[in-house]
Amino acid sequence: MLNKKIADLLNDQINKELYSAYLYLDISAYYLRKHLYGFAGWFKKQAAEETEHADKMMSYLAEQGEAIELKDVAHAGKTYKDLREPLAFQLEHEMYVTSLINAIYDAADEVNDRRTAHFLDWFIDEQTEEEATATALLRKFDLLAGDNRGLYELDAELGKR
Ligand code: FEO
């Protein structure tokens, strides 16, 4: 069994990960409507990764004999003013998720829950990677997507993910 606060935080984080999946599916839908199928596919895969993150947390809670609570997922529909904005928003969102993971880590540390802290190490590494990937994508967009040809090439590249 885990400390109740830790179990609650992990259940909240499952919801945030599923919200992240929903958010990225919404971004995928945005690019689909723009007929940028590479961008759309890239975000669809990103959404699938978020579901895997939720799944990892569900397995951990189950292994610890804790209840798994699947709560309502918030509405993710956003309006973007241009093709760049979802990419900037992704980076902002990943930085927010990093802050949530860090807060659970700190809470685990406070109650000497080394097992959960160790479990979260994977997520801390993953967040480093997610932020770096989102930053690189935004940078690439700024370098390449200034004209239609660059945008076409970036879309083709993203389609290979
Ligand atoms: Fe599950 Fe993109 O953080």
Side-chain angles (χ1 to χ4, degrees), residues 13 17 20 24 46 49-50 53 93-94 97 123 126-127 130:
Q13 191 60 30
E17 299 292 341
S20 299
Y24 293 151
Q46 197 61 32
E49 272 196 13
E50 298 302 345
H53 297 170
H93 181 70
E94 287 302 334
V97 172
F123 286 88
E126 178 71 4
Q127 283 313 117
E130 298 260 86

Side-chain angles (χ1 to χ4, degrees), residues 31 34-40 42 83 87 137 140-160:
Y31 286 120
K34 305 286 181 189
H35 304 285
L36 288 166
Y37 300 112
F39 281 79
W42 196 94
L83 296 173
L87 308 181
L137 180 54
K140 235 178 214 183
F141 183 91
D142 289 341
L143 288 170
L144 288 176
D147 58 41
N148 285 342
R149 189 190 172 109
L151 183 61
Y152 177 83
E153 285 174 2
L154 182 55
D155 191 54
E157 185 190 320
L158 293 179
K160 291 182 192 144

Side-chain angles (χ1 to χ4, degrees), residues 19 23 26-27 30 33 75-80 85 89 93:
Y19 172 74
L23 183 66
D26 182 63
I27 294 178
Y30 167 82
R33 289 194 302 271
H75 179 69
K78 295 208 175 291
T79 306
Y80 298 108
E85 207 172 48
F89 186 64
H93 181 70

Side-chain angles (χ1 to χ4, degrees), residues 47-113:
E49 272 196 13
E50 298 302 345
T51 308
E52 283 170 23
H53 297 170
D55 197 43
K56 264 185 195 293
M57 288 182 175
M58 287 168 62
S59 295
Y60 179 69
L61 282 171
E63 283 162 7
Q64 304 311 312
E66 294 293 341
I68 298 165
E69 290 174 57
L70 295 182
K71 302 168 190 182
D72 290 350
V73 179
H75 179 69
K78 295 208 175 291
T79 306
Y80 298 108
K81 71 174 190 305
D82 56 33
L83 296 173
R84 186 185 190 276
E85 207 172 48
L87 308 181
F89 186 64
Q90 181 195 16
L91 176 57
E92 193 184 305
H93 181 70
E94 287 302 334
M95 289 165 77
Y96 166 63
V97 172
T98 298
S99 75
L100 296 174
I101 299 287
N102 288 346
I104 307 173
Y105 192 98
D106 289 348
D109 209 31
E110 267 172 32
V111 295
N112 291 321
D113 179 355

Side-chain angles (χ1 to χ4, degrees), residues 118-135:
H118 180 64
F119 166 72
L120 289 172
D121 280 342
W122 184 90
F123 286 88
I124 289 170
D125 289 345
E126 178 71 4
Q127 283 313 117
T128 303
E129 190 189 311
E130 298 260 86
E131 284 186 32
T133 306
T135 302

